[in-house]
Amino acid sequence: MLAEIAISNLGVIRHASAELAPGLTVLTGETGAGKTMVVTGLRLLTGGRADASRVRTGAQEAVVEGALSIADLPESTLSAVHAIAEGAGAGPDENGEYVVSRAVKATGRSSAHLGGRKVPAATLGDLAGHLLTIHGQNDQLRLLAPEQQLAALDRFDPAIAQKLSSYRDVYVQWREASKDLKDRTEKRLELAQEMDRLRFAIEEIDAVAPVDGEDADLVATINRLQDVDALREAAQTALVAIDGAEAVGGYSTEAEEAASDLVGRAQAALVGASDEELRELGVRLGEVAGVLADVSAELGSFTADLPTDPDELERLLQRQQELKGLTRKYAPDIAGVLAWREKAGKRLSKIDTSEEAIDELKRRVADLEAELKKRAAALTKARNKAAKNLGEAVTEELHGLAMPKAQLRVELAEAKFGRDGADAVEITLAPNSALEPKPLATSASGGELSRVMLALEVILSESSAGGTLVFDEVDAGVGGRAAVEIGRRLARLALRHQVIVVTHLPQVAAYANTHLHVSKDVGDEAVTSGVGNLTDEQRIEELARMMAGLDDSDTGRAHAAELFKRAQREVEEMRA
């Protein structure tokens, strides 16, 4: 649910904010007041295209912020929302809401944030796809597209989703196997040449048999070998200075006393002194003696580990050249060479062009195609059943929307195997049962298309709850009795969802739980708009204004009050 929205410098709106409640919320106002900008702001929050021309004249940027509540979402939707947010490093705030924002600069650049973290606009689209759906004039036109009609049918029956998923599992395997078979048969010569190159490369790498990290170890060892005499001399000189010539197999003279002996003698002279300060210095000399002993031991080990084989350096240099031969061809380092070797082995195992391998692949493609047809038939059967039921349900809704004789049908036709099955869907409409139904694109007026879309949404939303549905002038081209019925349908839809409607019709606005009014102030240099939440008395005045501008008429206000009370009474009965 959309809990709150704030808009700054978008179109005629300098700054406006509104808290949005559950149920049905309507936005009304005079033409040009900025209602469309509210919907534009919502589209921006759902990852829609940023248009610099929408930035208020004179402003540096437009900003839209919203708070998305996830409290009443079903578990499956909640898991999907959390996964998207966690993938972006974002989380809900202290109210359990996801704060989203979108900024559009006058220069055309835009930025998006989720939970305080900067994210691509597409991430907002992924998140909002689970929470918020916008229906406007352009969305009605999208309903005419065959893929949108197929998606609507699949939403109608939850059983279709399982069959579609089962079909797609096999479809992916069949497509990959078919492509593999085509490549192996049509590109046999190229693949045979590739196999030869891969075999040669693998054999070359295996002949050298490199070990991960060996190249770096060789560099360190070779550097030591190339300087081994100087290193040995330095270590032995230090060892003699600490422990005397006997430490390296020599003889010491009385004039050449070892550092360890001198430190030991100094320590012995101090530790027995009567003065506390001297005894403390003796203790510290004992620590020095310990350090000298440790260094002496490590120097001995270092000297013992130095290579003594004169041919070792030549052998390692030759090994280094072998490894460099591989890193020049396959990767910058041995780790990369080994990774390339593994990838090449997998590739080689997949491009066997022998007759036996191709025959086996043909059998696999045939088996997968048979299974694909079986699952496609099950999917088509489920869709045919759902299509009949969906057509009847929407037709019944249309009868309640002042189209008493309209007949809507959802028809399936055979199509090529694709990701969504082997079905093409077309929604057709006839004014009455005596006439042949025709495609929506050629049979429905703007007002009729609005009612078809609303009827579809009412039916499709019965199996879900907790989302937010936005309707931007879905009642365009509608009036009279149809307008009342649209208001009722929207109110009924709002029992399970948050519904936000931009409308010019008082019959629709009267059914709202919350009524937001977008007002404009025309100054000498600029036009500004604001959004306010109307009280019941203000709502009656607004309804009177919407009824042909009768807000200053007692009769108009009386009619508005009657409309409002009757609609609110119906809403209460729906909730009961």
Side-chain angles (χ1 to χ4, degrees), residues 436-496:
E436 186 70 21
K438 295 181 180 180
L440 282 179
T442 59
S443 63
S445 65
E448 289 172 336
L449 191 57
S450 295
R451 281 174 273 180
V452 169
M453 188 179 72
L454 177 59
L456 266 173
E457 193 59 67
V458 168
I459 297 301
L460 297 178
S461 298
E462 285 181 350
S463 60
S464 62
T468 297
L469 304 173
V470 180
F471 294 93
D472 182 15
E473 298 189 10
V474 68
D475 48 24
V478 177
R481 182 69 180 172
V484 174
E485 293 300 334
I486 287 178
R488 285 179 179 146
R489 293 312 189 277
L490 291 170
R492 195 175 87 197
L493 194 58
L495 296 176
R496 299 177 59 84

